[in-house]
Amino acid sequence: MAAQLLNRLGQLGVGLAVGGAVINSALFNVDGGHRAVMFDRFSGVKPLVIGEGTHFMIPWVQRPILYDIRARPKNVPTMTGSKDLQNVNITLRILFRPKPDALPGIYTTLGQDYDDRVLPSITNEVLKAVVAEFDAGELITNREMLSARVHSELTTRAEQFGLILDDISITHLTFAREFSAAVELKQVAQQDAEKARFLVEKAEHVKSAAVINAEGDTEAAELLASAFAEAGEGLVELRRIETAEDVCANLAVSRNVVYLPQGQQTLLALPQ
């Protein structure tokens, strides 16, 4: 009896283990931020997109393919030419995610590495078309317009492949070394021209001031000549008396002045 009981328990344990393995192989999980596409060996890729949670499948016959539908960043560098034939190195940072409803078509036509297949090609195509409409200087001064054009056309292009572009940013924009050196020389020349113009304006102001001073001196001389003509030598005598008074006032307070008697030429009267 005991042996039979143990035998039955063993058979039951084996059955439970096999049943658990079968059930486990028939279950799969879809984590948060993911979606699954079911591939069937007989009917191919099913059009139904499976959401988050635990789901059943037929072992060996069906196989789930998981996709991350959260936004992910990707940097795409490109070398292109401007309208004035200058080489431009530009890098876009793209924040992308797939459309959940388009996942069956994405798996069928592009596979799981759809971002590496689609984004570099359409980014190069759009950048080459848009940058060619701007001069090298306009790429710097009209950067917002350039970014808006790239965002609009690249978003439209990505929708054809079932992709959503949440954000597109120009993170790197440089020119060839020769063009950068020419721009630097142009800036230096502009600064020198501004300095020369400032010096010319300063000289003109100095010249104008000298002319005004000369005109003032001429007008003052004419007024003096007119006064002399009307008053004769009286004005000169008045200025002479005023000057003599100033000299006497200065000598009176000076310690280096010695008063001598009238008619004496030296400090000491020597005998004859």
Side-chain angles (χ1 to χ4, degrees):
M1 295 295 294
Q4 293 179 355
L5 180 60
L6 291 175
N7 188 19
R8 290 180 179 179
L9 289 176
Q11 293 176 356
L12 180 60
V14 172
L16 291 175
V18 173
V22 172
I23 293 175
N24 185 52
S25 63
L27 297 176
F28 68 95
N29 295 324
V30 179
D31 296 331
H34 292 71
R35 295 292 185 272
V37 175
M38 187 63 69
F39 173 76
D40 191 285
R41 293 181 182 272
F42 299 105
S43 59
V45 178
K46 294 184 176 296
L48 178 65
V49 178
I50 303 172
E52 303 168 358
T54 301
H55 306 273
F56 289 95
M57 67 176 180
I58 303 175
W60 187 81
V61 176
Q62 294 180 333
R63 177 171 58 89
I65 297 96
L66 299 179
Y67 277 91
D68 188 353
I69 62 170
R70 294 171 296 187
R72 292 180 294 162
K74 187 177 185 64
N75 293 328
V76 181
T78 302
M79 182 175 181
T80 182
S82 62
K83 186 177 180 180
D84 52 353
L85 304 180
Q86 297 294 334
N87 291 328
V88 182
N89 295 315
I90 185 170
T91 300
L92 290 185
R93 183 180 183 274
I94 304 172
L95 201 63
F96 71 97
R97 55 188 173 90
K99 292 181 179 180
D101 296 338
L103 288 178
I106 291 176
Y107 178 74
T108 302
T109 57
L110 300 174
Q112 292 183 279
D113 57 345
Y114 61 92
D115 53 331
D116 294 330
R117 294 174 180 266
V118 174
L119 291 179
S121 60
I122 64 174
T123 300
N124 288 332
E125 176 187 356
V126 170
L127 282 178
K128 290 181 182 297
V130 174
V131 172
E133 300 178 4
F134 293 84
D135 293 335
E138 294 175 347
L139 293 176
I140 300 176
T141 57
N142 298 333
R143 186 162 180 169
E144 294 183 359
M145 183 184 299
L146 171 66
S147 180
R149 285 284 309 279
V150 172
H151 187 282
S152 175
E153 297 192 14
L154 191 58
T155 300
T156 303
R157 193 77 173 85
E159 288 179 353
Q160 301 175 5
F161 297 93
L163 301 182
I164 300 174
L165 305 184
D166 294 324
D167 183 68
I168 301 173
S169 302
I170 300 176
T171 59
H172 184 72
L173 179 62
T174 59
F175 301 93
R177 183 178 303 176
E178 295 79 7
F179 179 78
S180 300
V183 171
E184 184 176 356
L185 291 176
K186 181 180 179 181
Q187 292 177 347
V188 172
Q190 290 177 348
Q191 293 175 356
D192 292 341
E194 290 291 335
K195 182 178 180 181
R197 186 174 65 180
F198 172 75
L199 294 176
V200 170
E201 292 178 354
K202 182 179 179 182
E204 290 179 353
H205 287 311
V206 171
K207 180 180 178 181
S208 299
V211 171
I212 293 173
N213 290 333
E215 292 176 353
D217 294 339
T218 302
E219 186 177 356
E222 291 177 354
L223 292 175
L224 289 175
S226 176
F228 288 153
E230 294 178 358
E233 297 295 330
L235 182 59
V236 177
E237 291 296 331
L238 178 61
R239 294 290 185 267
R240 186 179 300 170
I241 294 173
E242 291 176 351
T243 303
E245 289 179 353
D246 293 338
V247 172
C248 292
N250 291 332
L251 292 176
V253 298
S254 177
R255 297 181 180 180
N256 299 325
V257 176
V258 177
Y259 293 95
L260 298 176
Q262 186 176 2
Q264 186 171 339
Q265 303 298 325
T266 60
L267 294 177
L268 299 175
L270 300 177
Q272 300 295 330

